[in-house]
Amino acid sequence: VTIANDLLLFFDQENVSLLVLPDLSGKWKNKERVLVFSSRGINFRTRHLMQDLKTMMPHSKADTKMDRKDKLFVVNEVCEIKNCNKCIFFEAKKNMDLYMWVSNVPHGPSAKFLVQNVHTLAELKMTGNCLKGSRPLLSFDPKFDKEPHYALLKELFTQTFSTPQYHPKSQPFVDHVLTFTIADKRIWFRNYQIIEEDASLVEIGPRFVLNLIKIFQGSFGGPTLYENPHFQSPNMCRRLMRMEKAARQKERQMVKEIRLEKRKEVKEVLTEDVTDDVFVTPAEEKPKEVEHEAPRPSKSKKKKKLKLTELKKRTLLKRKGLR
Amino acid sequence: LPSLSLSFLIQLQEAFSKGLLKPGLNVPLEEPKKAVNNIEGLKMCLAEFKKNLPWVERLDLTNHPAVDVLAKIEGTLNKKQSSGEIDAEDDFQREMYFYRQAQATVLEALPKLKKLQIPTKRPDDYFAEMAKTDQHMQKVRKKLMQKQMAIEKSEKAKKLREQRKFGKKVQVEVLQKRQKAKKAMMTAVKKYQKGMTDKLDFLEGDQEGKKGSTASKSQMSKKGPNAKRKYKDQKFGFGGKKKGSKWNTKESFNDVSGFRAKTAHGKGGKKFNKGGKKNKRPGKETRRKMKARK
């Protein structure tokens, strides 16, 4: 077991047993429990992300994968069985798209997001580390206060992600901070470890980007309170790309065809001049002469030579000054 | 043709009777889909949903990112960023923005936590399970080390290359210098030998390391030039042989420089001895006698 803050490896032979000292100096009043689970068909990254979230949140519980045959409101029943009042549900579609539901289970609002750019705890570029189950600081962008739907989301995130004080599995120290920022109309999630009191930070992970789709009044259903106008489903995105490509190809094809057609066209005479054939005189018919002997070879070479000598003569005379 | 439902037909009839329809083909326009934004509903929901917990339970803060100290110093403060518009494509800027937001939160929250007596620093003897296993942290450390080593190696290689170039330059220069010095020395010596200068200044040039060679040089300068040199000078030097000049004059008779005592007394033995006794083979008679003796 090591101290994680500095890059020092310290292994104490005596204290091999894991000591999870719960902070029971106060009573655990804020009874928040989050159920983290997924549907079938998730890939390894999503699985690791789920695991990481469970590590980060000591007030979370896990459950088996839900069959896709069941409707979404079954999730509410599952949560009730597990005695949880919040839920984070991951849904994977087409092995490519990952959707995340965050919901306050019995009556409260729920939100559906499209998750992108997932990086898990296990990535070697994230060098920070924190206590398992320590309470996080939550940091929100001021944009969350400006719009009512963002304000609702802020409240939802706060209640879901903040570890209750004096939770039996929590550690009493505050050594990491979760940030939620709005950029490019999406919500960016980051997790940093606090190293020094002067706020020097190192990223722990995981990190992901949430693209809001809809906010519902009920849990996993109910009337829609907000719909994101900037959201474009991944299918639509892919379709647009394909259509673009197709359109380009079609254009090229069309241009080709037009060119071919132009060539084949009969070129019409634009203006017919009546006086064109005035001077046309057909040639006289000559008697056909059949040649029985081969023609003599032309004297082109000799001519050339003559020409050369002529040239030489001329230059000679010129030099002599007679020309 | 667009599909015309009964209700739509009725609508058209009504509009026609009212005189709203214009001539031409009337096509029903689809209204662009309006995204639901039930602000009232959202606010109501929020009011219901909100749990008014004390800050200790939530530990949340909303703040702008901390001022970018470096950018301020360099004078490249981005006005857009200060208003909150982040360019999501510029990875570095974006991550720095998030980082600074977290920093601002930490700076604000730590004093608050101190007041509430919630510890933020873990004591050194507190052993507990970490979010990432020790194995994993070792891997991370390894990777970082590898990266550093790679950088160091490349830097070393660069330096070596530079040095080699420089070293080669220096070497060439030193050799050239030596050659020059040698040449200068030889010319000076020759001049002295020929008798053009009688100053021995060139000797003092590099006296630091050449004290041994100066002795022999002074000896050489005493004897003067080589005998061969002398002869050649006599024959060809100073304008060549003078035709019909006298010889066996008083000076040439009195000149005893060509006298070698040992040769005169027949004692210059090395040159005429075939290198001394080199396993001299005895003659025929001696050999026969030796054989007979055996």
Side-chain angles (χ1 to χ4, degrees):
Chain A
V1 185
T2 59
I3 309 165
N5 270 347
D6 326 274
L7 295 181
L8 269 176
L9 181 62
F10 179 74
F11 188 76
D12 198 338
Q13 292 284 342
E14 299 159 317
N15 301 4
V16 175
S17 58
L18 277 166
L19 290 168
V20 180
L21 296 175
D23 185 23
L24 294 170
S25 52
K27 258 203 137 181
W28 173 35
K29 288 185 201 149
N30 178 17
K31 309 268 171 152
E32 284 287 346
R33 288 183 201 88
V34 181
L35 183 66
V36 181
F37 75 125
S38 75
S39 73
R40 291 182 145 272
I42 51 171
N43 63 358
F44 68 97
R45 202 162 295 192
T46 318
R47 212 177 351 105
H48 280 267
L49 178 65
M50 263 177 36
Q51 235 172 347
D52 296 341
L53 284 176
K54 276 181 243 166
T55 328
M56 287 289 137
M57 301 196 291
H59 57 288
S60 64
K61 287 190 186 171
D63 196 38
T64 54
K65 291 186 199 156
M66 189 187 84
D67 225 0
R68 246 186 272 154
K69 277 187 268 166
D70 308 329
K71 307 271 177 178
L72 268 178
F73 54 76
V74 171
V75 180
N76 293 325
E77 292 177 10
V78 176
C79 289
E80 222 190 284
I81 295 169
K82 286 259 171 172
N83 192 18
C84 292
N85 57 359
K86 294 277 183 309
C87 177
I88 299 180
F89 177 62
F90 288 97
E91 205 180 359
K93 293 222 167 124
K94 280 192 176 182
N95 279 336
M96 281 187 280
D97 312 324
L98 177 66
Y99 296 97
M100 179 169 118
W101 289 87
V102 180
S103 154
N104 175 30
V105 167
H107 330 280
S110 53
K112 186 178 182 189
F113 302 94
L114 173 70
V115 186
Q116 289 165 321
N117 291 12
V118 176
H119 293 264
T120 56
L121 266 182
E123 301 220 348
L124 290 174
K125 290 206 176 173
M126 319 240 211
T127 49
N129 200 353
C130 68
L131 279 171
K132 187 171 182 178
S134 63
R135 297 185 64 208
L137 281 173
L138 298 172
S139 165
F140 290 96
D141 201 1
K143 283 191 214 154
F144 274 102
D145 289 333
K146 290 189 187 161
E147 315 250 332
H149 57 268
Y150 281 141
L152 185 60
L153 282 178
K154 178 179 164 184
E155 188 60 34
L156 191 59
F157 288 144
T158 315
Q159 289 189 18
T160 313
F161 286 102
S162 60
T163 308
Q165 211 183 13
Y166 310 126
H167 189 280
K169 285 194 195 163
S170 70
Q171 299 287 344
F173 304 102
V174 175
D175 64 352
H176 68 127
V177 52
L178 307 176
T179 59
F180 297 86
T181 326
I182 297 178
D184 193 23
K185 297 166 197 138
R186 282 165 241 256
I187 303 173
W188 301 69
F189 173 89
R190 296 282 184 274
N191 180 8
Y192 295 100
Q193 174 196 10
I194 306 169
I195 304 179
E196 290 291 322
E197 299 280 311
D198 69 350
S200 54
L201 309 164
V202 174
E203 187 158 356
I204 311 169
R207 50 151 90 168
F208 49 85
V209 178
L210 298 172
N211 199 350
L212 175 65
I213 305 175
K214 278 189 181 179
I215 303 182
F216 301 97
Q217 195 177 16
S219 167
F220 292 98
T224 315
L225 286 173
Y226 179 79
E227 197 182 319
N228 187 4
H230 308 288
F231 174 74
Q232 217 176 40
S233 82
N235 278 332
M236 188 61 74
C237 282
R238 289 189 279 261
R239 185 162 171 249
L240 280 174
M241 286 212 293
R242 256 184 281 138
M243 273 169 58
E244 234 183 275
K245 272 195 188 172
R248 254 184 273 151
Q249 289 288 55
K250 271 189 185 170
E251 238 198 86
R252 261 190 236 159
Q253 198 69 21
M254 266 172 53
V255 168
K256 252 194 194 175
E257 280 181 12
I258 287 172
R259 224 188 323 131
L260 281 172
E261 285 224 5
K262 269 194 178 175
R263 280 200 195 154
K264 284 186 189 170
E265 257 180 17
V266 176
K267 296 190 185 134
E268 52 174 77
V269 182
L270 285 167
T271 44
E272 269 210 56
D273 196 359
V274 187
T275 55
D276 253 346
D277 54 347
V278 168
F279 291 107
V280 172
T281 42
E284 279 183 24
E285 268 204 39
K286 289 185 185 171
K288 282 195 178 175
E289 278 190 36
V290 181
E291 292 192 34
H292 295 284
E293 296 171 5
R296 293 184 84 185
S298 53
K299 298 181 182 178
S300 52
K301 280 193 183 172
K302 282 197 181 170
K303 269 194 179 173
K304 277 191 185 167
K305 275 197 178 170
L306 247 169
K307 273 195 174 172
L308 262 173
T309 49
E310 268 281 342
L311 203 68
K312 276 192 180 171
K313 266 193 200 170
R314 279 194 216 153
T315 48
L316 253 171
L317 287 171
K318 194 174 180 182
R319 270 197 215 139
K320 288 189 180 174
L322 295 171
R323 265 203 150 208
Chain B
L1 281 170
S3 54
L4 301 170
S5 61
L6 187 66
S7 56
F8 187 66
L9 278 171
I10 295 167
Q11 272 186 343
L12 272 179
Q13 268 191 323
E14 284 178 2
F16 182 67
S17 58
K18 284 183 187 171
L20 293 168
L21 283 182
K22 291 181 189 160
L25 188 65
N26 286 291
V27 182
L29 264 178
E30 259 191 52
E31 263 191 42
K33 224 183 167 189
K34 271 195 178 170
V36 178
N37 188 358
N38 188 356
I39 300 176
E40 288 305 316
L42 285 167
K43 287 189 182 163
M44 253 175 54
C45 198
L46 179 60
E48 271 182 40
F49 174 56
K50 202 162 187 172
K51 268 195 207 176
N52 289 319
L53 294 166
W55 186 79
V56 187
E57 286 289 341
R58 296 189 334 255
L59 293 180
D60 74 322
L61 282 162
T62 310
N63 47 15
H64 279 290
V67 181
D68 193 355
V69 186
L70 272 176
K72 217 182 183 179
I73 293 170
E74 288 175 13
T76 56
L77 253 182
N78 200 339
K79 271 193 181 173
K80 261 192 175 182
Q81 278 202 5
S82 48
S83 69
E85 294 293 318
I86 319 161
D87 179 18
E89 302 294 323
D90 189 350
D91 289 341
F92 185 68
Q93 291 279 14
R94 188 189 64 211
E95 296 299 324
M96 283 314 291
Y97 189 87
F98 301 153
Y99 185 88
R100 282 184 289 127
Q101 190 190 312
Q103 268 191 326
T105 306
V106 170
L107 287 170
E108 216 186 295
L110 284 181
K112 278 193 189 179
L113 288 170
K114 279 215 176 109
K115 263 196 205 172
L116 295 161
Q117 292 173 336
I118 296 176
T120 49
K121 261 199 164 175
R122 193 180 53 151
D124 287 333
D125 57 353
Y126 188 93
F127 290 117
E129 198 181 347
M130 309 294 292
K132 297 189 189 175
T133 57
D134 301 336
Q135 251 187 355
H136 183 85
M137 292 316 286
Q138 273 200 325
K139 265 198 238 172
V140 168
R141 244 167 270 152
K142 228 188 180 182
K143 205 166 192 212
L144 282 173
M145 291 276 283
Q146 271 182 348
K147 271 194 189 172
Q148 264 228 311
M149 297 255 282
I151 292 171
E152 270 179 24
K153 261 194 190 176
S154 69
E155 275 212 31
K156 259 196 198 173
K158 261 193 206 170
K159 268 193 185 172
L160 241 152
R161 251 181 280 140
E162 288 296 317
Q163 258 190 359
R164 250 189 256 154
K165 283 194 186 167
F166 186 70
K168 190 75 182 179
K169 239 205 229 171
V170 166
Q171 190 189 40
V172 163
E173 271 181 27
V174 164
L175 283 175
Q176 279 186 340
K177 204 176 160 188
R178 273 194 212 151
Q179 276 184 342
K180 261 195 205 170
K182 187 177 178 185
K183 194 174 173 187
M185 180 62 89
M186 292 310 282
T187 46
V189 166
K190 274 188 200 165
K191 278 194 182 171
Y192 182 79
Q193 283 175 352
K194 287 197 183 168
M196 294 207 288
T197 47
D198 54 346
K199 290 187 206 169
L200 292 171
D201 284 344
F202 55 85
L203 282 177
E204 283 144 37
D206 27 34
Q207 218 163 47
E208 291 142 37
K210 298 196 176 175
K211 285 201 174 163
S213 53
T214 46
S216 59
K217 279 207 174 152
S218 53
Q219 257 195 346
M220 204 168 75
S221 56
K222 271 192 204 163
K223 276 195 183 170
N226 224 350
K228 189 176 175 186
R229 188 71 260 167
K230 252 195 189 168
Y231 174 72
K232 292 230 170 152
D233 275 350
Q234 219 182 25
K235 209 173 174 193
F236 310 107
F238 304 111
K241 198 172 181 185
K242 286 92 190 162
K243 282 205 278 189
S245 49
K246 289 183 185 175
W247 65 45
N248 276 347
T249 51
K250 195 189 202 176
E251 285 100 5
S252 77
F253 190 78
N254 286 338
D255 182 20
V256 226
S257 60
F259 178 74
R260 299 273 175 267
K262 280 197 177 165
T263 324
H265 301 304
K267 281 180 188 170
K270 240 190 185 178
K271 278 203 175 174
F272 294 97
N273 242 1
K274 283 192 196 170
K277 272 201 173 179
K278 270 196 210 170
N279 297 352
K280 223 182 169 182
R281 194 164 170 250
K284 190 171 179 180
E285 272 296 314
T286 333
R287 271 184 279 134
R288 199 186 58 84
K289 281 180 190 169
M290 278 164 77
K291 210 176 169 184
R293 255 188 230 161
K294 279 185 187 175

